[in-house]
Amino acid sequence: MSPRRNRPRGGEKPTERASDPVGRYGGFGSSESWQGEEWSVRHVAGASAAGKRYRCPGCDQEISSGMPHVVAWPEHGGVDDRRHWHKACWNAKDRRTSKVQRSRNAPRY
């Protein structure tokens, strides 16, 4: 019996694997169409936002500090138009209702 091969077969080098171009949550951006306008979308790791709190407009829940999430804003909007979404909420934005009701005791930030 011959020993097991630990190197990949073919011309592929171990460092040239097909994965995200910048890493799993490396801050890569893209453009998506939603509600009749173009949106800039950036996936962020959340590690640089230590201590900051954001409220997801999709589910109206807080995004905990350090959690990977999505930042989206209209392409013709400014810095004040950026919104931080849970990744699942951004992916489900077309299936959600437009008005999410808060409970009485929920904070309004």
Side-chain angles (χ1 to χ4, degrees), residues 26-44:
F28 60 94
S30 63
S31 181
E32 293 184 27
S33 182
W34 182 51
Q35 292 183 339
E37 59 183 317
E38 291 296 313
W39 287 69
S40 296
V41 180
R42 180 167 290 158
H43 297 264
V44 294

Side-chain angles (χ1 to χ4, degrees), residues 19-28 43-45 68 87:
S19 63
D20 288 339
V22 187
R24 185 169 183 182
Y25 296 105
F28 60 94
H43 297 264
V44 294
K87 187 175 180 184

Side-chain angles (χ1 to χ4, degrees), residues 22-103:
V22 187
R24 185 169 183 182
Y25 296 105
F28 60 94
S30 63
S31 181
E32 293 184 27
S33 182
W34 182 51
Q35 292 183 339
E37 59 183 317
E38 291 296 313
W39 287 69
S40 296
V41 180
R42 180 167 290 158
H43 297 264
V44 294
S48 63
K52 293 185 180 178
R53 294 183 189 178
Y54 302 109
R55 185 161 295 277
C56 175
C59 66
D60 201 36
Q61 299 296 312
E62 191 174 292
I63 299 174
S64 21
S65 179
M67 175 181 254
H69 61 278
V70 174
V71 179
W73 65 95
E75 283 195 358
H76 298 292
V79 175
D80 294 334
D81 295 326
R82 290 185 300 185
R83 296 293 175 259
H84 296 254
W85 296 69
H86 292 108
K87 187 175 180 184
C89 294
W90 175 256
N91 292 337
K93 64 190 174 295
D94 293 326
R95 296 187 303 267
R96 294 188 180 270
T97 60
S98 59
K99 283 255 186 192
V100 176
Q101 296 289 324
R102 286 192 184 114
S103 68

